[in-house]
Amino acid sequence: MNNIYEIVKKRIIILDGAMGTMVQSYGLSEADFRGKRFQRHPIDLKGNNDILSLTKPKIIEEIHSKYLQAGADLISTNTFNATRISQADYGTETITEEINYEAAKIARKIANKFTKDTPQKPRFVVGVLGPTNRTASISPDVNDPAARNVTFDELVEAYTEAAKALMDGGVDFLMVETVFDTLNAKAALFAVQSVFDKFRKKVPVLVSGTITDASGRTLSGQTLEAFYYSINHFPLLSVGLNCALGAEQLRPYIEELSHISDSLVSFHP
């Protein structure tokens, strides 16, 4: 693999755009999401974009290709909700490992193709570890502030499975992204380190948080500086912000982050 650390010394590297909006542009039906394999699945699968890596892999390949044709250096795996925790909503938690592995293989195949065609511009694959649809820091019940619908250990278990499968599928990096709850992110980083230690293999890691509104805080209430120092114990390739606010609103927070971060800074609004 070309050395990403040398490349970033010379220029800004470009990450692809959103997977979900691209999927929506295809106007897929419930039958498309199900494919032949899940025709008798008891729960609706429309909206489970991650399963398309199994049922409509050609579409995922095409989306990756479009972003690379547009100039992206890095493409993100189609795994934003590919943890057991999130997949449980669709009754597909038992195939989470397969979803991550196949999504990584699809992205790897397309990245390799483009790198072969233009070796002077190597392409990289980012294995996405999304935030899950649960939060370890905030109660889901306004009448019971101590209640939680997920534990740290459950998050670690889910992220461990996903991270291992992504690495087996050939990703160049792992990215813990759209962090609205830092405790979730810490569980993800703990899981990633556990995978590194157990299998004696490492890839660079990126973290991207989410400022939810003009308060400049994450959903779980941390300021940007508090968020950064909560994860700074982990050796990161980059730390940055994505989602929620647009580019103009996020700019001052990116400037703040650039002053305090020892890592590279990422920005994908």
Side-chain angles (χ1 to χ4, degrees):
M1 184 183 79
N2 291 272
N3 192 332
I4 192 68
Y5 294 96
E6 293 302 318
I7 295 174
V8 295
K9 289 178 183 177
K10 301 173 183 176
R11 64 181 177 88
I12 294 171
I13 55 174
I14 307 298
L15 182 70
D16 60 3
M19 175 63 70
T21 48
M22 290 294 284
V23 168
Q24 288 174 12
S25 72
Y26 286 82
L28 300 178
S29 66
E30 175 67 25
D32 292 319
F33 279 85
R34 287 176 176 267
K36 292 182 179 180
R37 179 173 173 181
F38 301 102
Q39 284 182 354
R40 297 182 180 278
H41 191 72
I43 300 174
D44 286 350
L45 294 177
K46 187 175 181 180
N48 185 4
N49 293 342
D50 307 74
I51 209 168
L52 294 173
S53 296
L54 305 182
T55 58
K56 290 290 181 182
K58 293 298 181 184
I59 286 178
I60 304 304
E61 287 184 14
E62 189 173 287
I63 291 171
H64 287 322
S65 295
K66 287 179 178 179
Y67 277 126
L68 292 175
Q69 288 165 359
D73 299 290
L74 307 99
I75 50 174
S76 310
T77 56
N78 179 37
T79 53
F80 186 80
N81 287 306
T83 60
R84 282 180 173 263
I85 293 168
S86 296
Q87 286 297 310
D89 285 356
Y90 298 97
T92 48
E93 62 270 28
T94 59
I95 59 168
T96 302
E97 182 178 358
E98 182 185 1
I99 291 173
N100 281 278
Y101 179 71
E102 292 300 328
K105 283 182 63 179
I106 290 169
R108 178 80 274 151
K109 172 186 172 182
I110 301 303
N112 287 351
K113 177 182 180 297
F114 275 78
T115 297
K116 183 179 179 180
D117 292 342
T118 54
Q120 72 279 9
K121 183 180 171 65
R123 284 16 179 249
F124 302 93
V125 176
V126 180
V128 169
L129 297 168
T132 82
N133 54 0
R134 301 194 179 187
T135 167
S137 296
I138 303 173
S139 171
D141 183 356
V142 293
N143 297 312
D144 185 2
R148 296 292 184 270
N149 59 11
V150 70
T151 67
F152 186 87
D153 288 344
E154 288 170 340
L155 287 164
V156 169
E157 183 178 2
Y159 280 125
T160 298
E161 178 183 46
K164 173 63 166 53
L166 288 169
M167 291 178 65
D168 286 346
V171 301
D172 298 305
F173 315 118
L174 290 171
M175 178 166 66
V176 181
E177 71 144 299
T178 316
V179 177
F180 61 83
D181 183 343
T182 307
L183 192 55
N184 285 39
K186 289 173 79 70
L189 292 173
F190 184 90
V192 167
Q193 186 62 57
S194 298
V195 172
F196 289 172
D197 293 343
K198 182 175 181 179
F199 297 99
R200 298 186 179 182
K201 179 183 177 182
K202 292 183 178 182
V203 296
V205 177
L206 305 78
V207 171
S208 184
T210 295
I211 299 297
T212 55
D213 55 38
S215 70
R217 294 174 179 267
T218 64
L219 183 65
S220 54
Q222 280 192 310
T223 63
L224 179 58
E225 186 173 12
F227 162 69
Y228 172 75
Y229 285 115
S230 294
I231 60 170
N232 192 40
H233 64 285
F234 195 97
L236 298 171
L237 172 64
S238 73
V239 61
L241 297 173
N242 74 287
C243 248
L245 303 181
E248 185 175 348
Q249 297 98 321
L250 277 177
R251 179 165 184 158
Y253 302 116
I254 289 294
E255 290 177 348
E256 178 186 351
L257 188 59
S258 70
H259 291 309
I260 61 176
S261 175
D262 294 326
S263 309
L264 298 170
V265 173
S266 69
F267 182 38
H268 42 122

